[in-house]
């Protein structure tokens, strides 16, 4: 599935963008993922949604404290909009979590 086609209508953020930002938070800011395979399907889905929300929130908080190092791109605003997109819809957050897994697996297989 092309996760860049899944867009939050309120923020314009794609599920792929949210996934990338969640991975940045996990890999560079020390975030953790709690959606373990031994959980039941419903519990794993809820944990995946929560993981994406926490990770995007962590990135938004980190960037809001440190200023924007990239001229012409408002990274704190984009991170905040990404986090907001995950909070607005469980379905969007779940799509972002699936995209995060797909990107993570692709990176690990390289």
């Amino acid at each position: 599935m092309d996760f860049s086609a899944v867009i939050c209508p309120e923020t314009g953020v794609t599920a792929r963008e949210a996934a990338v930002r969640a991975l940045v938070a996990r890999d560079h800011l020390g975030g953790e993922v709690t959606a373990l395979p031994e959980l039941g399907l419903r519990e794993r889905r809820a944990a995946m949604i929560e993981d994406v929300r926490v990770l995007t929130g962590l990135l938004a908080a980190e960037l809001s404290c440190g200023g924007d190092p990239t001229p012409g791109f408002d990274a704190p605003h984009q991170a905040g909009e990404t986090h907001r997109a995950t909070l607005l819809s469980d379905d969007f957050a779940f799509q972002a979590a699936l995209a995060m897994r797909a990107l993570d697996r692709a990176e690990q297989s390289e």
Side-chain angles (χ1 to χ4, degrees), residues 14-60:
T14 68
R16 186 179 194 293
E17 290 170 329
V20 168
R21 290 181 180 122
L23 287 169
V24 166
R26 186 198 69 192
D27 294 345
H28 298 289
L29 300 176
E32 294 186 22
V33 175
T34 59
L36 303 172
E38 59 267 6
L39 295 175
L41 188 58
R42 183 174 295 154
E43 293 84 11
R44 188 170 49 228
R45 182 181 191 278
M48 289 170 69
I49 290 169
E50 187 64 20
D51 286 345
V52 167
R53 287 175 172 163
V54 168
L55 291 170
T56 58
L58 177 65
L59 183 62

Side-chain angles (χ1 to χ4, degrees), residues 63-79:
L63 288 175
S64 71
C65 293
D68 189 358
T70 310
F73 181 76
D74 190 355
H77 174 74
Q78 291 298 320

Side-chain angles (χ1 to χ4, degrees), residues 54-99:
V54 168
L55 291 170
T56 58
L58 177 65
L59 183 62
E62 181 71 19
L63 288 175
S64 71
C65 293
D68 189 358
T70 310
F73 181 76
D74 190 355
H77 174 74
Q78 291 298 320
E81 286 297 283
T82 300
H83 181 57
R84 188 167 78 91
T86 65
L87 294 174
L88 289 170
S89 166
D90 284 352
D91 290 336
F92 179 82
F94 185 61
Q95 293 294 325
L98 292 175

